Amino acid sequence: MKIKVSSSDLVSMLKIATKVFEARDDSSFVYLKVDGERLHVVSRCQSAFFSGSVEVTNVEIEENEANIYYVDGDVLKRLSGIFPAVPTKLEFEVNKDSRVFVIKYTGNKFKLQIVRDTQEVPKPKIAPLGMVQGTEFMTVLNSLLKIVDNNPDAQEHPSSCLHLVFSKDKMKSMATDRFALAELTKEFSGDDSLEDEELFLLKHPQASLLSKVSGPAEVLQLVSSPEYFGYIDGNGNLALVGRTDLDPLQYQPIKDMASNAENSIVLEIADLKDALSTISKLSAVNDSIIITVDKDEQTCKTSSIAGDEIIIPVRDVNIDESITVNFTRSVLQEALIPVDTDDARLEWGSSDARIYRLVPINNGVDEEGIFIGVVPNVE
């Protein structure tokens, strides 16, 4: 068999299609299939199924020759980083008696081992959920994955999962590490077949496989099955990851508790981030940060256990009394990741509040569709 394929198209597709191959997983594999004028690449592991295809030309297949080849996934992934990213014709050649693909272009030659013969694995049966802007989905995914609880002790707890809920017109996403909780609600164009809310819980390792660079005009078609959640991207690549059957976290009481806010200050996010970063450099061993809001002086001070202090400019101070509260610095930094506005309001109920809320402010107006809550350390 001989085929020719554009290197730029192939490299772009392989970045998705071979992503889930894992050599240490005995159930993991990658295979190539030539079907008409398309080269299909499929990879699978225990908890994911990815595939993609590109157009091929100059197809030569002998009679009764196989058209499915299970290949060395590690080598194929490495070759995808070697092939030219600019359009260049690659020639794939294999004969019925050999156990290796020979790949040639512009005087270069590489070999890709065929590792076994077996039947094609059927693609999971999927149903459409709806359409979403690629950049928006990836922004939500990547920011919330930084909050999902990765502690080994939490892997049987729903905090270890990214929560995704889809309705006809909304996509609600939630992540927590049991100290910070963020919920983002975005517009969503649900499929006509989507009648009731659909809930998905994805473990961090699986959800992170869905992350990709998405173009500004790319639209993702979100899809699912009883075992999988994923998308078909703008190039037709399929990305499916396993969903977990853990019960979802019931976090509405946390949101209700945070809504009883009687005290607040407004600050610039950049100032708070800079203060947290500086404190972390000066006190790398200890992960605590103390925030003091003085009612009389109308100031906010961040300080470390060692006594380093940074004043953060604040405005619209509306508090009943001065407070001093201790947070875990890394948790507070995680909570700020989904915030993309210049300002935010820090709200709390009383001096012994069990949760503090960050409300992003955009041009003086509270940002809709976002909830961020942070639990302080117990003294």
Side-chain angles (χ1 to χ4, degrees), residues 203-220:
K203 291 280 190 177
H204 188 283
Q206 283 71 51
S208 62
L209 290 171
L210 295 175
S211 179
K212 64 174 289 242
V213 177
S214 191
E218 184 174 24
V219 175
L220 303 179

Side-chain angles (χ1 to χ4, degrees), residues 279-305:
I279 293 294
S280 70
K281 294 173 184 176
L282 296 174
S283 183
V285 176
N286 192 290
D287 200 23
S288 293
I289 188 162
I290 301 166
I291 294 182
T292 301
V293 182
D294 190 292
K295 178 181 179 180
D296 297 327
E297 297 185 5
Q298 303 276 287
T299 59
C300 177
K301 178 177 66 178
T302 58
S303 56
S304 68
I305 297 296

Side-chain angles (χ1 to χ4, degrees), residues 2-68:
K2 286 184 180 180
I3 59 172
K4 289 185 178 180
V5 59
S6 166
S7 62
S8 57
D9 293 344
L10 182 64
V11 167
S12 177
M13 182 265 286
L14 289 177
K15 288 179 180 179
I16 300 294
T18 64
K19 196 172 187 179
V20 301
F21 176 77
E22 175 52 65
R24 292 171 294 182
D25 180 353
D26 291 338
S27 68
S28 188
F29 60 76
V30 176
Y31 71 74
L32 312 182
K33 176 185 177 182
V34 177
D35 183 9
E37 296 182 346
R38 305 291 295 182
L39 170 64
H40 302 265
V41 179
V42 174
S43 67
R44 195 186 76 173
C45 64
Q46 284 186 341
S47 59
F49 182 100
F50 280 39
S51 68
S53 69
V54 291
E55 183 180 4
V56 294
T57 59
N58 303 90
V59 180
E60 299 178 19
I61 300 181
E62 297 181 18
E63 187 177 357
N64 299 323
E65 185 176 8
N67 69 336
I68 298 176

Side-chain angles (χ1 to χ4, degrees), residues 75 78-84 90-93 100-113:
V75 173
R78 289 197 292 269
L79 285 173
S80 68
I82 296 172
F83 293 150
L90 306 180
E91 181 182 275
F92 282 66
E93 181 178 1
V100 64
F101 272 100
V102 177
I103 306 168
K104 302 175 183 177
Y105 67 93
T106 60
N108 301 299
K109 182 173 73 173
F110 299 99
K111 293 185 177 183
L112 175 62
Q113 193 74 25

Side-chain angles (χ1 to χ4, degrees), residues 179-181 254 257-259 261 263-265 291 293 322-327 332 335 345-359 371-377:
F179 298 97
L181 185 149
I254 298 173
M257 186 187 306
S259 66
N263 302 275
S264 65
I265 58 173
I291 294 182
V293 182
S322 299
I323 66 158
T324 297
V325 59
N326 188 313
F327 291 100
L332 199 52
R345 186 171 60 256
L346 181 64
E347 299 180 343
W348 64 96
S350 61
S351 58
D352 59 351
R354 295 169 57 192
I355 188 166
Y356 286 68
R357 182 181 179 185
L358 277 166
V359 181
F371 172 85
I372 300 174
V374 184
V375 176
N377 296 329

